[in-house]
Amino acid sequence: MSGDWVKVCADDAIDEEDVIRFDHGGKTYAIYRSPQDTFHATDGLCTHEKIHLADGLVMDNIIECPKHNGRFNYQTGEARGAPVCINLKVYPVKVEAGSVFIQVQ
Ligand code: FES
């Protein structure tokens, strides 16, 4: 079942190669803007110890967790570096009329 589209922010509120935290419906998401100017969304908490990924570092298509430097591909959710081994959930994103939306489930 697909969920609702929820407005996150204006597209220029996220710098290229950066990430912001977005809270909605009791959940936390991380919203990314890649160096190629594409937008992406994942669960906001690391699958290792539930640290906020928005406090981490974006490098190309990787988010590095600020706590133990675990890495994920934020475009696919794939866990890419120890100690993380559980993939991140990813969410559909669209940009319309200058605003970023994610489809929550
Ligand atoms: S909490 Fe993210 S790598 Fe440990």
Side-chain angles (χ1 to χ4, degrees), residues 45-53 64-72 81-84:
L45 300 176
C46 182
T47 58
H48 184 229
E49 282 187 7
K50 302 203 180 305
I51 295 298
H52 284 282
L53 291 171
E64 184 178 80
C65 176
K67 186 144 188 202
H68 308 110
N69 308 108
R71 292 182 174 193
F72 301 90
V84 298

Side-chain angles (χ1 to χ4, degrees), residues 66-82:
K67 186 144 188 202
H68 308 110
N69 308 108
R71 292 182 174 193
F72 301 90
N73 179 327
Y74 60 80
Q75 302 185 2
T76 64
E78 184 189 359
R80 291 291 298 276

